[in-house]
Amino acid sequence: MHNTLFTRVSLAAIIAVLTGCSSPPPPPAPKPAPDYSFKTAANKFIAADSTRKSGVVVDKGMFYPKETFSYSYRYCSNSAQQAQQDIVQFNQLATETCNLNKGSMVNLDTGTWCVQHPNTEQETPLFAARISSIDLWADICANGPFVTMRIIENRDIPQSAWIDGAALLGYQPYSVHRTLMSTKAIESLDDATPPPTEEAWTEETTFIATHVGETVCMYKKAKDEAYGVTYKGTIESVKDGRVRVLVTHKIKGDVRIAPISTPLPWHKKAIIEADAKSWFICQ
């Protein structure tokens, strides 16, 4: 009886061991899906480094097309070398994401755009990627320059609406008259937000032209100025597309991307009148 019981236990143990040995190995962990969206890939790039993720989103537009398509992020780098390394890696990431979408990179004067069917009548923009560093705000960044990443993309709306919005934010459709820029020229573009005076009439412009008493700003920068200045005030009146503003503040730099709001000497009261497209809503 004892031997029979022992034999049964031994056989059960052997079967268990054999069964365990013959079990298939666990399936490999699934590979993460590729990031076809460059904004998604860029956010992962930001989150992967403690220095990069310590920054903030800047230039928050409250009106179409900016609030729909535009994303800008800025942070203090640890050194000029790190800033340059981040620039190289960001541009490589943009190229890789563009390749994933079977696109090609073209350099326009508003930045680098990933497009499909480049330099043909069928050219279609997918996203824009621009990164730059600027050390003018050395009093704010202790160790290195500011790095600014700018992305224009929206994969969740109809194609025609996306192309129209991209054009409002700087995409230039293909034509024989379009001028492409070199990579070196793109890297040396001014870090400041382009003045809005040449932009098309937008929802924001319409709002400004119909809301007396609203707070608005205007950014101006001469070629020989490092920062430029922002004028801020309230709308007094609008006539024939011209907006008359009681300006009460003059601020260092472009308030849409400046790290802090630094007041500059200004008159107690002053009037500036300009085309409605010259102004933008600000807080």
Side-chain angles (χ1 to χ4, degrees):
M1 176 70 181
H2 177 75
N3 289 338
T4 303
L5 179 61
F6 178 79
T7 301
R8 290 176 180 172
V9 171
S10 299
L11 285 173
I14 292 171
I15 292 171
V17 170
L18 290 175
T19 304
C21 291
S22 62
S23 297
K31 292 183 179 180
D35 293 317
Y36 287 91
S37 163
F38 182 58
K39 184 177 178 182
T40 299
N43 275 320
K44 290 182 180 178
F45 175 71
I46 291 168
D49 180 88
S50 59
T51 299
R52 292 195 292 260
K53 70 181 180 182
S54 66
V56 294
V57 177
V58 294
D59 200 4
K60 297 178 182 178
M62 296 181 287
F63 292 87
Y64 180 89
K66 259 196 171 179
E67 50 92 17
T68 305
F69 306 109
S70 186
Y71 175 81
S72 298
Y73 185 83
R74 167 167 277 193
Y75 62 95
C76 284
S77 59
N78 279 336
S79 66
Q81 291 76 20
Q82 186 201 7
Q84 186 57 41
Q85 180 178 329
D86 284 356
I87 288 173
V88 170
Q89 292 178 353
F90 181 88
N91 287 331
Q92 287 175 343
L93 181 63
T95 301
E96 291 167 2
T97 307
C98 190
N99 291 340
L100 189 64
N101 284 278
K102 297 183 173 17
S104 300
M105 307 297 279
V106 296
N107 293 331
L108 306 179
D109 59 10
T110 53
T112 301
W113 287 78
C114 172
V115 302
Q116 291 176 330
H117 315 296
N119 300 316
T120 69
E121 297 294 337
Q122 290 74 42
E123 182 179 286
T124 304
L126 297 177
F127 63 83
R130 180 175 166 192
I131 185 170
S132 58
S133 68
I134 186 170
D135 57 5
L136 292 176
W137 301 95
D139 51 334
I140 305 301
C141 285
N143 300 314
F146 264 112
V147 175
T148 305
M149 302 174 183
R150 293 182 181 154
I151 299 161
I152 300 172
E153 182 184 47
N154 191 317
R155 305 179 68 89
D156 301 319
I157 64 170
Q159 183 78 346
S160 59
W162 151 242
I163 294 176
D164 290 344
L168 287 172
L169 291 172
Y171 170 69
Q172 301 161 22
Y174 168 75
S175 78
V176 294
H177 305 292
R178 184 175 73 177
T179 301
L180 300 182
M181 300 181 70
S182 67
T183 300
K184 185 175 180 180
I186 284 286
E187 291 174 352
S188 63
L189 284 175
D190 194 333
D191 187 63
T193 298
T197 50
E198 300 303 320
E199 291 182 0
W201 192 277
T202 64
E203 289 183 10
E204 183 173 16
T205 310
T206 301
F207 184 88
I208 289 170
T210 54
H211 284 73
V212 172
E214 190 66 39
T215 300
V216 292
C217 289
M218 175 195 293
Y219 173 67
K220 289 292 183 182
K221 179 181 179 296
K223 288 184 178 180
D224 58 346
E225 289 181 326
Y227 299 95
V229 296
T230 299
Y231 299 98
K232 180 178 180 179
T234 54
I235 300 173
E236 281 203 335
S237 62
V238 182
K239 184 178 181 181
D240 298 328
R242 302 282 294 178
V243 179
R244 179 182 171 92
V245 176
L246 175 63
V247 175
T248 53
H249 297 84
K250 183 180 180 182
I251 303 163
K252 178 181 177 180
D254 185 343
V255 297
R256 293 167 292 186
I257 61 172
I260 59 173
S261 182
T262 306
L264 298 173
W266 184 241
H267 313 286
K268 188 174 182 180
K269 289 184 178 182
I271 297 293
I272 295 180
E273 183 178 313
D275 188 279
K277 292 182 289 185
S278 301
W279 302 94
F280 59 91
I281 298 295
C282 56
Q283 300 298 321

